[in-house]
Amino acid sequence: MTFPVIGMVGGGQLARMTHEAGIPLGVKFKLLSDTPTDSAAQVVGDVVVGDYRDLETLRSFAQGCDVITFDHEHVPMEHLRALEADGIAVRPGSRALVHAQDKGVMRARLDAIGAPCPRHRIVADPADVARFAAEGDGFPVVLKTVRGGYDGKGVWVVRDEAEAAEPFRAGVPVLAEEKVPFVRELAANVVRSPHGQAVAYPVVESIQVNGVCDTVIAPAPDLDPELSTHAQQLALRIAEELDVTGHLAVELFEVQRPDGPAVLVNELAMRPHNSGHWTQDGAVTSQFANHVRAVLDLPLGDPRPRARWTVMANVLGGDYPDMYGAYLHCMARDPGLKIHMYGKDVKPGRKVGHVNTYGDDLADVRERASHAAGYLRGTITE
Amino acid sequence: MTFPVIGMVGGGQLARMTHEAGIPLGVKFKLLSDTPTDSAAQVVGDVVVGDYRDLETLRSFAQGCDVITFDHEHVPMEHLRALEADGIAVRPGSRALVHAQDKGVMRARLDAIGAPCPRHRIVADPADVARFAAEGDGFPVVLKTVRGGYDGKGVWVVRDEAEAAEPFRAGVPVLAEEKVPFVRELAANVVRSPHGQAVAYPVVESIQVNGVCDTVIAPAPDLDPELSTHAQQLALRIAEELDVTGHLAVELFEVQRPDGPAVLVNELAMRPHNSGHWTQDGAVTSQFANHVRAVLDLPLGDPRPRARWTVMANVLGGDYPDMYGAYLHCMARDPGLKIHMYGKDVKPGRKVGHVNTYGDDLADVRERASHAAGYLRGTITE
């Protein structure tokens, strides 16, 4: 049989759920994991334990793989280019991933293709931040190290020049962005294959709590239909212009302009993304299944929703370390609840799973997801 | 964390798909497989290669498992009882599985609880088969060895006493059954937990070709609503009376009686079953997910359908050994097609996968499933 081998770099929950989605296709899945107990390493048969920052480890891992893809965006750019020079199919490739690894490069590229962004520029020091503020509406200003941030890490909201000192301490270039007075956050998820086919999922609303995604509602309620189509087209265009293969999440701010609602690009993620987890139970083809199909250059699956509303709520680590006991209550209360746990040790605030619910009544669907996530975390008892 | 460990005996596709369904629950999955390349062994992390017919292998495997369940019904009864005597949670237990292992025991028990069966009795030799025939409507008669049969193996339809010699050659007791003039074959799938909760899936129609399941339609078209409820209740009652835990498939003949349609029990299977594969994409909770929940004694998931019609078509091995090349056509033609391949080597007639389709128009849904299964097998080209 010539069923291909997908090499997944990184053993987190995205790899775990990609493996799960790949099983039905009969493709082989090989994992490069930091430890033998990482989330994905617990459920994958063919696991190599090694350091993705080491080129020879990557080279050795890539032998026998038909394509390499990623659980995260942290593989050093020079290693990605070296693998490509070796003739390895790296998807997404280094030319795309550079935009996910470096926020400065990303912003410059988005400007070049005319994608709407918050006002921004690279700043040299705290005094330069004060100048950036003065060029616009003043403080507060958002500062981001161009590399290494995720889930609110590497991001600061500063109210004056004195507070702006901190981000520069890492020695990484700092990007300043206006603090956008957004109405809400949206995400446009698309999947693109090497032969250029692409599909767009419905635009979703993403609700953050303390800088971490808490709830995703699919589709985004009351979203202007023209803006929805515009956001999908924007994401498809970014995928094409940046030559993304696989899943691309375009995180957006919805803003109110004098002439109507508009979107600005907040962040890009070139892998399955938290804002697409609802697709596991809410779409004909999940983001994970379509990522697998894309990196194999297979025709993509139908991205349309299966329910009027689907809601995803993240399960964060709480005060008690064992969530299994909460299954009894959650499953008995809601036989339609879809639980997705990652096999990770519980630490307060850490994403250890998510739940999906769907149905016709949005308030009910939200309450079910919120209740289950809260009960699993331990913030709700009854 | 106290997430439990499920020990699955047998490495076939049912184990593979049960593992897939267990990943979201964060439970641990341990596999006892005949070889390291069995269908499930390719995708499970924790695999023990060993012989399920050896008690010490089973005992060693069971250490560290919270519950043992099965990909097949072939583990020797004395071993099941020994594991239970050791205090291992075996689900379904030996008291239930004896009915799936021995068709004579099954028929006697179904008679005792008043479940409708084809006319039947154990026969001693070919002359006794002739007497059995004469007691009813004559030949043809169905003969089954009481142990070891599946997918049409161990079953003979004999037209006279001379043809009746073959089944006795194995030295296994032989059960004779009337050849039921059925209208069609149905299956009632239920799942029952140790604490006694049970759910019933919609009754499906199962279309066999050459004694092997070819297509399943969920729900069974034009099924009399009273008969449908009766079939579900019958399956639930069998599950309770036989103390089944986990998934139970009750294969049924639909017959036309003077007073209306009725069902007779054809076979029982105490594990996820081919007639339930449609639930992976067609029900809120799949048979595999509910089997996992049942063997862990967790509350069961909603068994209701998500689509008006779901059709499953088996993919049998055909003339060419590599089916991956057919993905391009199948996926491009039908973006809503759900492919489930088992990672098995292709042999003519061997079940190597299945496809699911769903939608509102039954004729269209059937055509899509049939086309994809035929194209993967190589009997359709275009």
Side-chain angles (χ1 to χ4, degrees):
Chain A
M1 296 210 295
T2 62
F3 279 73
V5 180
I6 297 176
M8 170 67 78
V9 177
Q13 66 262 28
L14 300 177
R16 180 185 177 102
M17 294 186 278
T18 305
H19 171 58
E20 178 193 341
I23 291 175
L25 291 183
V27 298
K28 319 283 184 190
F29 198 85
K30 194 172 158 186
L31 187 72
L32 178 64
S33 180
D34 287 349
T35 81
T37 56
D38 278 18
S39 177
Q42 297 169 24
V43 299
V44 172
D46 191 355
V47 181
V48 174
V49 175
D51 186 348
Y52 64 83
R53 293 164 299 194
D54 178 65
L55 179 58
E56 290 316 307
T57 298
L58 288 168
R59 280 194 160 126
S60 165
F61 174 73
Q63 295 308 312
C65 293
D66 293 285
V67 59
I68 298 292
T69 189
F70 307 95
D71 173 73
H72 56 67
E73 293 144 341
H74 307 321
V75 176
M77 185 51 53
E78 62 271 25
H79 294 357
L80 296 173
R81 290 180 181 137
L83 291 173
E84 289 171 334
D86 290 348
I88 308 290
V90 177
R91 292 173 183 165
S94 63
R95 291 199 314 137
L97 273 172
V98 67
H99 304 93
Q101 291 193 348
D102 188 307
K103 295 183 201 296
V105 174
M106 184 264 282
R107 284 288 178 224
R109 181 80 178 128
L110 291 178
D111 285 347
I113 67 171
C117 291
R119 189 174 69 84
H120 63 89
R121 69 171 169 84
I122 297 290
V123 283
D125 52 37
D128 197 21
V129 175
R131 281 190 296 275
F132 174 82
E135 287 157 16
D137 295 330
F139 283 99
V141 163
V142 178
L143 298 180
K144 301 175 176 178
T145 50
V146 297
R147 290 187 295 275
Y150 65 97
D151 272 357
K153 297 175 184 67
V155 178
W156 295 260
V157 179
V158 299
R159 286 168 299 180
D160 54 37
E161 186 176 329
E163 285 188 356
E166 174 66 22
F168 293 91
R169 295 208 174 105
V172 175
V174 175
L175 178 73
E177 296 183 351
E178 66 172 317
K179 187 167 188 310
V180 175
F182 58 81
V183 177
R184 58 177 170 175
E185 293 189 62
L186 305 173
N189 286 292
V190 298
V191 187
R192 183 171 174 273
S193 66
H195 74 282
Q197 188 193 10
V199 295
Y201 286 100
V203 176
V204 299
E205 177 174 348
S206 174
I207 299 165
Q208 320 285 315
V209 174
N210 299 326
V212 177
C213 177
D214 181 82
T215 301
V216 169
I217 304 173
D222 303 318
L223 181 61
D224 177 79
E226 278 186 40
L227 187 63
S228 173
T229 301
H230 169 71
Q232 289 180 310
Q233 288 174 337
L234 175 63
L236 289 167
R237 193 155 66 82
I238 292 171
E240 183 182 357
E241 294 277 3
L242 274 55
D243 197 20
V244 177
T245 52
H247 188 266
L248 169 71
V250 180
E251 297 183 80
L252 298 162
F253 295 125
E254 181 179 353
V255 292
Q256 192 60 42
R257 297 291 194 221
D259 54 347
V263 290
L264 301 175
V265 176
N266 179 19
E267 299 280 358
L268 303 181
M270 295 181 188
R271 49 173 170 73
H273 187 256
N274 203 162
S275 65
H277 288 357
W278 69 275
T279 61
Q280 292 175 300
D281 302 296
V284 175
T285 313
S286 79
Q287 65 167 347
F288 300 102
N290 259 338
H291 186 76
V292 167
R293 289 161 78 140
V295 301
L296 293 175
D297 209 9
L298 289 169
L300 300 176
D302 188 342
R304 284 178 293 181
R306 291 196 70 175
R308 175 75 188 88
W309 298 106
T310 303
V311 171
M312 190 258 3
N314 276 324
V315 178
L316 302 186
D319 292 334
Y320 55 87
D322 180 21
M323 293 184 172
Y324 185 70
Y327 278 21
L328 282 177
H329 167 85
C330 292
M331 290 178 170
R333 184 181 194 267
D334 185 355
L337 178 71
K338 311 306 284 188
I339 296 175
H340 299 266
M341 297 295 281
Y342 308 153
K344 293 165 86 166
D345 288 336
V346 169
K347 294 177 188 169
R350 183 187 206 190
K351 286 181 192 171
V352 295
H354 67 272
V355 296
N356 287 330
T357 54
Y358 55 82
D360 291 328
D361 177 343
L362 178 56
D364 176 63
V365 174
R366 282 193 73 169
E367 190 281 332
R368 289 165 52 206
S370 169
H371 179 91
Y375 198 93
L376 286 163
R377 186 178 188 176
T379 54
I380 296 174
T381 55
E382 67 174 24
Chain B
M1 296 209 296
T2 63
F3 279 72
V5 180
I6 298 176
M8 170 67 78
V9 178
Q13 65 262 31
L14 301 177
R16 179 184 178 102
M17 293 186 278
T18 304
H19 171 58
E20 178 193 340
I23 290 174
L25 291 182
V27 299
K28 319 281 184 190
F29 198 85
K30 194 172 156 185
L31 186 73
L32 179 63
S33 180
D34 288 350
T35 80
T37 56
D38 278 18
S39 176
Q42 297 169 23
V43 298
V44 171
D46 191 356
V47 181
V48 174
V49 175
D51 185 350
Y52 64 84
R53 293 163 299 192
D54 177 65
L55 178 57
E56 291 316 309
T57 298
L58 287 168
R59 279 194 161 127
S60 165
F61 175 72
Q63 296 308 312
C65 293
D66 292 285
V67 59
I68 297 292
T69 190
F70 307 94
D71 173 73
H72 56 68
E73 294 143 340
H74 308 320
V75 177
M77 186 50 55
E78 62 272 24
H79 293 357
L80 296 173
R81 290 180 181 139
L83 291 172
E84 288 171 335
D86 291 347
I88 308 291
V90 176
R91 293 173 182 167
S94 64
R95 292 197 313 137
L97 274 172
V98 65
H99 303 95
Q101 290 195 348
D102 188 306
K103 295 181 201 298
V105 174
M106 183 264 281
R107 284 288 179 224
R109 181 79 178 130
L110 291 178
D111 285 349
I113 67 171
C117 291
R119 189 175 70 84
H120 63 89
R121 70 171 169 83
I122 299 289
V123 283
D125 53 35
D128 197 21
V129 175
R131 281 191 295 277
F132 174 82
E135 287 157 16
D137 295 332
F139 284 99
V141 162
V142 178
L143 298 180
K144 300 175 176 177
T145 51
V146 297
R147 289 187 296 276
Y150 66 96
D151 272 358
K153 296 176 185 66
V155 178
W156 294 259
V157 179
V158 300
R159 287 167 299 180
D160 55 36
E161 188 177 325
E163 285 188 356
E166 174 67 20
F168 293 92
R169 296 210 172 103
V172 176
V174 174
L175 178 73
E177 297 183 351
E178 66 172 320
K179 187 168 188 308
V180 175
F182 58 81
V183 177
R184 58 178 169 174
E185 293 188 64
L186 304 172
N189 287 290
V190 298
V191 186
R192 183 172 174 272
S193 66
H195 74 282
Q197 189 193 9
V199 295
Y201 286 100
V203 176
V204 300
E205 177 174 348
S206 173
I207 300 166
Q208 320 286 317
V209 174
N210 300 326
V212 177
C213 177
D214 180 83
T215 301
V216 169
I217 304 172
D222 302 319
L223 181 61
D224 177 80
E226 278 186 39
L227 187 64
S228 173
T229 301
H230 169 70
Q232 288 180 311
Q233 288 174 338
L234 176 64
L236 289 168
R237 192 155 67 82
I238 291 170
E240 184 181 357
E241 294 277 4
L242 275 55
D243 197 22
V244 177
T245 52
H247 189 266
L248 170 71
V250 180
E251 295 183 80
L252 299 162
F253 295 126
E254 181 179 352
V255 293
Q256 192 58 43
R257 297 291 194 222
D259 56 346
V263 289
L264 302 175
V265 177
N266 178 19
E267 300 281 358
L268 303 181
M270 295 181 188
R271 49 172 172 73
H273 187 255
N274 204 162
S275 64
H277 288 358
W278 69 274
T279 61
Q280 293 176 300
D281 302 296
V284 175
T285 313
S286 79
Q287 64 166 350
F288 300 102
N290 261 336
H291 186 77
V292 167
R293 290 161 78 140
V295 302
L296 294 174
D297 209 10
L298 290 169
L300 301 176
D302 188 342
R304 284 178 294 183
R306 291 196 71 174
R308 176 75 188 90
W309 298 107
T310 304
V311 170
M312 190 257 4
N314 277 324
V315 178
L316 302 185
D319 292 333
Y320 56 86
D322 180 21
M323 293 183 171
Y324 185 71
Y327 277 21
L328 281 178
H329 168 85
C330 292
M331 290 179 170
R333 183 181 194 266
D334 185 355
L337 178 72
K338 311 306 284 188
I339 295 176
H340 299 265
M341 296 296 281
Y342 308 152
K344 294 165 87 166
D345 287 336
V346 169
K347 295 176 189 169
R350 184 188 206 190
K351 286 182 192 169
V352 294
H354 66 272
V355 296
N356 286 332
T357 53
Y358 54 82
D360 292 328
D361 177 343
L362 178 56
D364 176 63
V365 174
R366 282 194 72 169
E367 189 280 332
R368 288 165 53 206
S370 169
H371 179 91
Y375 197 92
L376 286 163
R377 186 178 188 175
T379 53
I380 295 173
T381 55
E382 67 174 26

